[in-house]
Amino acid sequence: PKVLHQVPADSIAPSPKSTQIPLLHFPSASQYIIPRPEFCSKLITFCTPTHRVLSHPVCLQSTSYARNAYTFSIALVLDVSTPFASYATVTFKLASLLRTLEESSRFLSSDLSPPNTGKIYALCEILLEDLNNYCESMIPIDDSNTLNIKLFPTYPPPPPLYPYHVPLSTVRLENLTDPNWDLTMLRVLPHINGINSVKRISLLADADYKLVRKAIEHLLYYGCLLLLDIFSFGAIYAPTAELGTFVEDTEMQEECARYVELPVEATGEGSKRDPIDGFQMLELYLDLKQGQTVRTFYIEHAERMDKIDVRRFITFGVIKGFLYRVHKYAIATRQTSRRKRDHDTRTKQKKSASVAVEARDDETNADLMELEKFLDGTHCFDEICTELMIDEQELTKRLKAIGDVQIICR
């Protein structure tokens, strides 16, 4: 095997007069770049201590060649730490195009240009320049063929998405939409407002929950959404150690004041009023604590919160990472489960009860039995309320009806 073209020159197989240190030792790597026929038409990748090589060798069998076969490969050399998933697609596409050109017009084998010259070298040079500078390239090959390559970024998998999560857009989704978008996506977007949960969005959009979840996961993958908790005045929030960043960053304090400020029309104070002070925001965040609900906090600071949207006030802290939600979990004892079953049995044995009363009792017992599967300490109140389609007040009422249930905040 030999290197016909390399960009930059002397980067892989330097000339005898070159003083440049090659990126890798080609004699040792040649068996992976031009391998045996059994390994052709497959993506081959290998690493050196500093670089990663992606190649897709192609072997064409034909009596028109001197040895009845022609083997070639185009390889990309990357830094070893570079994510290579998108480059693997580029390598495959390049190999496929060159194979088609060789089969149709002997594009490679008929090129007798000296190394690092000619049309193939020019193609490699333009491709390297375009991918490094623009992450895409469009190169006309001949009248019938054009090379179109684009590097698509690889993002980490989105976080787990549950029915009780509340998506909040980080971009103007309406500016990204297109009439040719997925129908479920177009029905979902108007209901993403930082208030509705995933399950509620599926109900409002009148769409299947699984399809809605897939659409939201797609937006999460591309960084168009953040996930929040369901906001309620009965929720508890507390500051984290990251609050120190908010203390030192005056720009963040000003951003917070702009984000949480109520519109003038909502306060009824006329067109002129004093702006919200960033230091005032800091004092309010410091007053949030464990065991204190948002309702209690708002009542205690009603005068200072008259210009502030309390939901946005909490949301800003969660987004920036200096507030965290204290979730509630319920744990039922074994005695509770046995006592409830005994109560159900006694209820059914009352022969004097009317049919209407028995139907109502059966419905109540069914609700309690459905709730009991969530009482193992691993399901937060948000999840339980979303799954059962009830509010926290109704949930608390049912928990009292069950019996001895411990509620843990963490």
Side-chain angles (χ1 to χ4, degrees):
K2 60 180 179 179
V3 178
L4 287 180
H5 306 290
Q6 50 187 321
V7 182
D10 297 331
S11 57
I12 302 297
S15 61
K17 297 181 180 180
S18 175
T19 58
Q20 182 176 340
I21 300 175
L23 299 178
L24 54 90
H25 186 246
F26 180 72
S28 302
S30 61
Q31 59 179 321
Y32 304 109
I33 297 177
I34 302 293
R36 293 178 296 175
E38 293 83 0
F39 294 97
C40 290
S41 300
K42 296 179 177 65
L43 178 67
I44 297 178
T45 175
F46 63 92
C47 294
T48 68
T50 56
H51 294 87
R52 181 188 299 274
V53 180
L54 301 176
S55 68
H56 196 286
V58 175
C59 181
L60 300 177
Q61 305 285 344
S62 176
T63 55
S64 60
Y65 296 117
R67 297 183 178 181
N68 296 327
Y70 182 74
T71 304
F72 68 89
S73 179
I74 183 166
L76 302 182
V77 182
L78 313 174
D79 186 88
V80 71
S81 61
T82 302
F84 66 93
S86 57
Y87 290 94
T89 306
V90 170
T91 306
F92 173 77
K93 189 169 185 178
L94 286 172
S96 299
L97 176 64
L98 292 177
R99 180 187 188 122
T100 302
L101 292 173
E102 175 62 22
E103 290 176 337
S104 61
S105 62
R106 296 293 187 265
F107 180 78
L108 298 174
S109 58
S110 63
D111 183 23
L112 303 179
S113 304
N116 299 332
T117 61
K119 57 185 179 181
I120 300 176
Y121 176 77
L123 174 67
C124 297
E125 194 173 31
I126 296 172
L127 183 63
L128 175 70
E129 194 76 18
D130 288 353
L131 291 182
N132 282 337
N133 293 328
Y134 311 111
C135 294
E136 61 181 354
S137 181
M138 186 180 71
I139 306 173
I141 305 297
D142 52 32
D143 295 338
S144 304
N145 296 281
T146 300
L147 174 63
N148 287 289
I149 293 289
K150 185 176 180 64
L151 284 174
F152 291 95
T154 303
Y155 300 103
L161 184 64
Y162 298 105
Y164 57 89
H165 278 150
V166 176
L168 174 68
S169 62
T170 58
V171 297
R172 293 189 179 275
L173 296 174
E174 62 273 11
N175 295 340
L176 302 177
T177 56
D178 184 275
N180 297 321
W181 271 31
D182 178 75
L183 293 178
T184 302
M185 182 73 77
L186 293 176
R187 300 178 72 170
V188 163
L189 293 182
H191 304 292
I192 297 178
N193 55 7
I195 299 175
N196 297 324
S197 65
V198 177
K199 187 166 185 177
R200 180 169 176 77
I201 289 174
S202 68
L203 296 174
L204 294 173
D206 192 20
D208 181 71
Y209 169 73
K210 292 181 180 179
L211 296 179
V212 171
R213 178 177 176 177
K214 180 177 270 189
I216 294 177
E217 284 179 338
H218 189 79
L219 295 174
L220 274 174
Y221 178 77
Y222 287 104
C224 300
L225 299 178
L226 293 174
L227 293 181
L228 303 175
D229 300 301
I230 297 175
F231 175 80
S232 70
F233 281 91
I236 300 174
Y237 292 88
T240 70
E242 296 297 325
L243 188 61
T245 304
F246 185 76
V247 173
E248 300 173 353
D249 194 337
T250 55
E251 292 185 0
M252 187 185 295
Q253 294 175 15
E254 295 173 359
E255 178 188 0
C256 176
R258 293 192 301 269
Y259 181 76
V260 306
E261 188 174 13
L262 285 170
V264 175
E265 297 80 8
T267 58
E269 297 182 2
S271 58
K272 293 184 179 180
R273 66 181 182 188
D274 296 332
I276 299 177
D277 184 14
F279 185 74
Q280 178 186 353
M281 293 290 95
L282 175 60
E283 289 182 326
L284 290 172
Y285 280 123
L286 287 172
D287 285 343
L288 290 168
K289 56 188 176 182
Q290 285 268 12
Q292 181 187 57
T293 64
V294 176
R295 181 183 296 105
T296 303
F297 169 82
Y298 186 76
I299 293 173
E300 292 180 357
H301 302 81
E303 294 183 2
R304 302 171 67 184
M305 297 284 291
D306 60 342
K307 303 176 185 177
I308 297 174
D309 186 327
V310 63
R311 182 184 64 82
R312 282 176 164 254
F313 172 77
I314 295 296
T315 299
F316 185 87
V318 174
I319 293 174
K320 296 298 183 180
F322 58 80
L323 281 187
Y324 72 97
R325 170 76 180 275
V326 181
H327 285 283
K328 297 178 182 178
Y329 298 84
I331 303 177
T333 61
R334 294 182 180 178
Q335 292 79 4
T336 300
S337 302
R338 184 169 58 253
R339 183 167 55 251
K340 190 176 75 65
R341 287 193 298 269
D342 294 342
H343 173 74
D344 294 344
T345 303
R346 289 195 301 270
T347 301
K348 292 180 180 180
Q349 290 175 348
K350 291 181 179 179
K351 299 181 180 180
S352 60
S354 65
V355 176
V357 173
E358 288 182 0
R360 186 164 57 251
D361 288 345
D362 289 343
E363 183 179 354
T364 301
N365 291 330
D367 291 339
L368 296 181
M369 288 295 292
E370 186 179 10
L371 173 59
E372 192 176 40
K373 66 182 181 182
F374 294 104
L375 306 183
D376 58 358
T378 62
H379 304 277
C380 64
F381 272 31
D382 282 357
E383 179 181 358
I384 300 173
C385 291
T386 302
E387 291 293 339
L388 301 182
M389 301 292 291
I390 58 176
D391 56 21
E392 188 171 333
Q393 184 177 2
E394 175 64 21
L395 174 60
T396 304
K397 179 181 177 181
R398 294 187 185 183
L399 291 176
K400 290 180 179 179
I402 288 179
D404 294 333
V405 177
Q406 296 180 0
I407 297 178
I408 299 175
C409 296
R410 59 183 174 92

